[in-house]
Amino acid sequence: MVLTSTSLQSALARLPQTATEAVVNQVFAKDLIQALGFSQGESHPEFDTGRGFVDHAVRKTLEDDIFLETQSNPHLLIELKERGKDLSEGSAPYLNTVRQLKGYLLANKCKSVQW
């Protein structure tokens, strides 16, 4: 089942304004991944990129190649942040997150990532 943008907005509204990254992960990440069209076996939490652990790596199942089992060739990386974090362009948290994501994207296990 793919969630609608209204369902995703509802999931976001359930987050407290001071939600930590762990709360965002528990309350919102599953809904986000479903809204993007992925099912349960197509997401791996705390995925080891080879250059650190990203919050979620996601890929569609290809015949018998279930991503949760094989953990190979992710298509999408999701890095969650606490709700109140200032990620405006140029801010220190923004620059740190960009560096973090670049590191993940350059990792050997993430050469297939498109998003």
Side-chain angles (χ1 to χ4, degrees):
M1 173 188 155
V2 175
L3 299 176
T4 65
S5 63
T6 303
S7 298
L8 195 55
Q9 288 172 344
S10 295
L12 186 57
R14 286 194 306 269
L15 284 174
Q17 291 299 318
T18 58
T20 64
E21 186 174 311
V23 171
V24 172
N25 190 26
Q26 184 175 13
V27 174
F28 184 69
K30 180 180 175 186
D31 290 336
L32 173 63
I33 291 166
Q34 282 184 328
L36 294 172
F38 296 95
S39 64
Q40 193 167 358
E42 297 175 331
S43 173
H44 191 286
E46 292 298 316
F47 181 77
D48 182 2
T49 66
R51 287 191 174 185
F53 291 83
V54 69
D55 292 321
H56 292 271
V58 185
R59 177 181 54 78
K60 285 290 193 185
T61 294
L62 306 169
E63 297 179 20
D64 292 335
D65 184 359
I66 299 168
F67 181 64
L68 187 59
E69 294 175 8
T70 63
Q71 300 177 40
S72 64
N73 302 317
H75 181 78
L76 167 71
L77 300 181
I78 299 172
E79 180 60 29
L80 303 167
K81 297 297 178 195
E82 64 190 57
R83 185 157 187 186
K85 186 164 291 243
D86 175 16
L87 292 174
S88 59
E89 190 171 353
S91 70
Y94 171 85
L95 296 173
N96 289 337
T97 301
V98 168
R99 251 188 312 279
Q100 182 181 23
L101 289 170
K102 283 182 180 179
Y104 296 155
L105 291 169
L106 293 172
N108 286 334
K109 292 183 179 181
C110 294
K111 299 293 183 191
S112 59
V113 172
Q114 297 179 19
W115 299 95

